[in-house]
Amino acid sequence: MPKPVVPEEKRRRRRPTKSGTVLSEELIVQTALRMLHEHGSAGLTARRLGLALDADPSTLYRYFRGMDDLTLAIGDALIGQALGGWAPTGEWRADLRAVGLRIHAAYVAHPQAAVLTASRVSGRAHELAADEAVLDLLRTAGFPLPDAVRVYHAFVDTTLAFAALDAASLALPRASLHADEEMWRSTYARLPATTHPRIAEAAPLLATRMLTSAYPTALDMLLHSAAAQLDGIGE
């Protein structure tokens, strides 16, 4: 049975750890992010996290119900990083584009964490703030509620899907990532026009384009479609 989480103000250690550190939820999450970056998801365990924090692993359960709860907090922290300092300008399309690019960039900056968290729903503060902001942008722009929810759904899933896809590539071992990227030059670029005419003509562009994320393009297409729909509503 999950242990109850102690409120933040009651769970702080009265004395610092041996290294002089006072534990907090934020410190644990940031340490977990560093461990994911250095060791991948397999290296993130309560025991190893406790060692990194110079604390008994059981102490972590005063802050989180378990490692899955910590995973949700990590995902929420990424969203918090993404929206830190962002403020709407009043231009819904530009604002929504900025939010999407910020979230995607935050996940890609922590690929191992993104692979773990992009598909999760935490219900935590930063996630709720982001959802509220996106829905507010759409409703303020004039989208009827059903359409606002539809665009919101497409926006969130597109953003997180590309974040997961791009992060998964970056989380690969360096040799595997290089082999995948080289495939566009070593195989696709050498296909003869007699058997693969469309690939052959596109090969020079594919060799460059396919090494970058398609998210900005997909996001622009989504926003263009949403804007066209909004224009139709106003007619």
Side-chain angles (χ1 to χ4, degrees), residues 1-229:
M1 182 176 180
K3 297 180 180 179
V5 173
V6 180
E8 174 74 21
E9 65 274 9
K10 294 183 179 180
R11 63 174 99 128
R12 281 185 176 274
R13 291 173 58 99
R14 295 183 179 180
R15 295 177 299 173
T17 62
K18 293 179 181 179
S19 60
T21 301
V22 177
L23 292 183
S24 67
E25 181 174 313
E26 181 180 3
L27 176 62
I28 295 171
V29 168
Q30 293 305 315
T31 304
L33 278 170
R34 176 172 56 80
M35 293 181 66
L36 284 169
H37 176 72
E38 295 174 354
H39 307 293
S41 59
L44 182 61
T45 64
R47 183 183 67 81
R48 290 183 176 181
L49 190 53
L51 287 173
L53 292 164
D54 194 25
D56 190 285
S58 63
T59 305
L60 302 177
Y61 296 99
R62 293 178 61 83
Y63 295 81
F64 303 98
R65 294 182 176 86
M67 294 302 290
D68 190 64
D69 193 33
L70 173 59
T71 297
L72 297 179
I74 291 170
D76 193 58
L78 294 182
I79 297 175
Q81 291 178 16
L83 295 186
W86 174 82
T89 66
E91 297 291 335
W92 75 268
R93 186 168 173 176
D95 288 341
L96 204 54
R97 189 177 195 275
V99 169
L101 292 176
R102 278 171 166 264
I103 292 175
H104 179 266
Y107 275 94
V108 171
H110 299 276
Q112 293 82 4
V115 170
L116 280 180
T117 64
S119 64
R120 303 300 301 278
V121 180
S122 74
R124 286 174 168 259
H126 295 308
E127 179 183 275
L128 294 175
D131 290 343
E132 178 69 17
V134 171
L135 286 167
D136 184 62
L137 288 173
L138 295 169
R139 290 291 281 148
T140 302
F143 285 93
L145 183 56
D147 295 318
V149 171
R150 183 177 61 83
V151 175
Y152 157 84
H153 185 192
F155 171 80
V156 169
D157 279 10
T158 298
T159 301
L160 295 179
F162 272 99
L165 176 66
D166 295 337
S169 293
L170 294 174
L172 287 172
R174 186 176 299 273
S176 298
L177 178 60
H178 178 73
D180 284 358
E181 293 177 342
E182 185 60 27
M183 193 67 67
W184 296 104
R185 293 182 288 267
S186 64
T187 299
Y188 280 78
R190 296 179 182 178
L191 291 172
T194 53
T195 58
H196 299 81
R198 297 309 183 194
I199 293 179
E201 70 175 352
L205 294 175
L206 290 174
T208 301
R209 186 80 182 186
M210 298 305 291
L211 301 185
T212 63
S213 174
Y215 176 65
T217 300
L219 177 60
D220 286 339
M221 293 171 68
L222 188 155
L223 294 176
H224 178 77
S225 174
Q229 177 188 345

